[in-house]
């Protein structure tokens, strides 16, 4: 039996698609890139923006039409929808051509779904976990891996649909996290990213009695692994002296970035000196309307604390402009915050109303052309800041992780630094997953050109 997965949206969906592929493989299914050859198409969806949902619905319509054609020629095709749109629209998707709706919180139905095609006496037993997490998210052969540590969000930022589709926060048990990291180390993984909608509000309340599978280095470690700061220490201990050298995490909420977490990160060099810290806006009035629960002064103080604790740390962010009621003065506040912080890069969007969120009914919607013009100013400013940050690094000698051949020249390697900068190096005989020492010689766009000056230590 063959299947095809189309994945949309965030890294959590990418990680969950990797986990789904493991389950398919365990059930004896083969992946195909050809929808016409597949017995089952799975669409792993994103509902964060209306445009993403519309794109998915267009894909669903294409697969539904293919399904009808295939039924006529006696080659049935089934379509499953997983992820956030499955959660948001539920069984209504069946009227649009879906046969199965898996949802972001209900993973169990996959077992029944696969069993439908299996021959019970011969088919391998497939028991995907029931609950918020899978067991294994690793893409075989990759030197990088996501490790989900929590799922869902309790924050209810007024523009965001995530808490409604992903549900409230659920933290993964420390035993499952460490067991997965140990497995990844055995597979030779070099870099992991702890993943969740709001990783720094990680909060494990299961207690030792509910997590018997774990063999902690000491009981004290285990009991202490109740929050993100404690988890970082446990993760650092798990990767120490092993092949996993770099640990990243995504995404953090500024209000949850405590001094204890900063101290824990600073104390463990395995945590890369790059942090993605979504600010969203620079005006206190808009931040309050967004329900972000920090001020620009709080955010800037946090940036100073991070830079003091981890000299050289780079920061990236998310910025959302065009929120209802936003004035030109508010836009100036975003620009002045960007000037103050100097982000290495930013994901920048303009606001789009999402039905079901608190901001949906707010007065003062900004016309599309104004939103676009404001976004263009933000993008231009960030472009200048990115170049400025990168230029300051020219001439440095850094460690970089080899990701693979560069897009333009197979004789060159694309590498990434711990600060999340890209560097292209001419070198041979080096494989993805190796660390090398590189001098940052020149800039081409936002990518460094570098020279290999040694092996990574
Ligand atoms: S923190 Fe806010 S923006 Fe992020 S997922 Fe939660 S509700 Fe959405």
């Amino acid at each position: 039996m063959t299947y095809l997965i189309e994945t949309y949206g965030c890294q959590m969906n990418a990680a969950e698609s990797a986990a789904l592929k493991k389950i398919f493989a365990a059930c004896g299914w083969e992946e195909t890139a050809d929808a016409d050859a597949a017995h089952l198409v799975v669409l792993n969806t994103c509902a964060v923006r209306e445009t993403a949902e519309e794109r998915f619905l267009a894909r669903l319509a294409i697969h539904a039409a293919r399904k009808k054609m295939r039924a006529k020629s006696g080659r049935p095709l089934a379509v499953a929808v997983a992820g956030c749109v499955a959660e948001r629209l539920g069984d209504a998707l069946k009227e649009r051509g879906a046969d199965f709706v898996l949802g972001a919180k209900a993973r169990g139905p996959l077992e029944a779904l696969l069993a439908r095609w299996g021959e019970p006496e011969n088919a391998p037993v497939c028991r995907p976990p029931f609950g918020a997490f899978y067991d294994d998210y690793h893409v075989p052969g990759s030197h990088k891996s996501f490790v989900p540590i929590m799922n869902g969000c309790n924050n209810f930022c007024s523009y965001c649909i995530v808490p409604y589709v992903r549900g409230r926060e659920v933290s993964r048990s420390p035993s499952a996290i460490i067991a997965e990291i140990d497995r990844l180390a055995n597979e030779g993984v070099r870099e992991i990213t702890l993943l969740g909608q709001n990783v720094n509000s990680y909060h494990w309340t299961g207690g030792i009695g509910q997590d018997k599978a774990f063999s902690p280095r000491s009981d004290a470690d285990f009991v202490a692994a109740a929050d993100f700061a404690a988890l970082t220490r446990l993760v650092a201990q798990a990767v120490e002296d092993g092949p996993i050298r770099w640990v990243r995490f995504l995404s953090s909420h500024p209000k949850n970035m405590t001094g204890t977490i900063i101290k824990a990160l600073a104390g463990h060099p395995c945590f890369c000196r790059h942090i993605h810290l979504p600010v969203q806006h620079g005006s206190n009035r808009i931040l309050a309307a967004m329900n972000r629960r920090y001020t620009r002064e709080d955010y800037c103080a946090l940036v100073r604390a991070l830079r003091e604790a981890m000299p050289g740390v780079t920061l990236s962010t998310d910025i959302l402009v065009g929120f209802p009621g936003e004035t030109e003065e508010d836009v100036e506040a975003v620009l002045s915050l960007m000037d103050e912080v100097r982000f290495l890069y930013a994901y920048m969007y303009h606001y789009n109303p999402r039905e079901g969120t608190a901001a949906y009914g707010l007065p003062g919607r900004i016309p599309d052309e104004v939103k676009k013009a404001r976004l263009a100013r933000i993008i231009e400013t960030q472009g200048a800041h990115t170049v400025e940050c990168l230029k300051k690094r020219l001439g440095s000698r850094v460690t970089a992780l080899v990701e693979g051949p560069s897009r333009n020249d197979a004789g060159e390697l694309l590498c990434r630094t711990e600060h999340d900068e890209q560097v292209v190096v001419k070198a041979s005989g080096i494989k993805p997953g190796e660390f090398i020492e590189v001098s940052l010689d020149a800039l081409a766009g936002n990518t460094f050109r570098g020279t290999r000056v040694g092996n990574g230590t």
Side-chain angles (χ1 to χ4, degrees), residues 48 152-164 169 197-198 251-256 278 280 290-293 318:
V48 166
C153 188
N154 294 349
N155 287 327
F156 291 90
C157 300
S158 64
Y159 52 84
C160 181
I161 200 153
V162 166
Y164 304 94
E169 292 174 1
Q197 275 76 31
N198 193 9
S251 222
S252 307
H253 195 299
K255 78 173 167 51
N256 297 113
Q280 305 297 0
M290 288 177 164
N291 193 30
R292 291 292 291 175
R293 286 177 275 175
D318 298 339

Side-chain angles (χ1 to χ4, degrees), residues 13 44-48 82-89 103-104 162 165-166:
N13 273 11
N44 195 4
T45 61
C46 171
V48 166
C84 293
V85 182
E87 207 62 58
R88 199 176 101 73
L89 299 181
V162 166
V165 291
R166 285 262 166 192

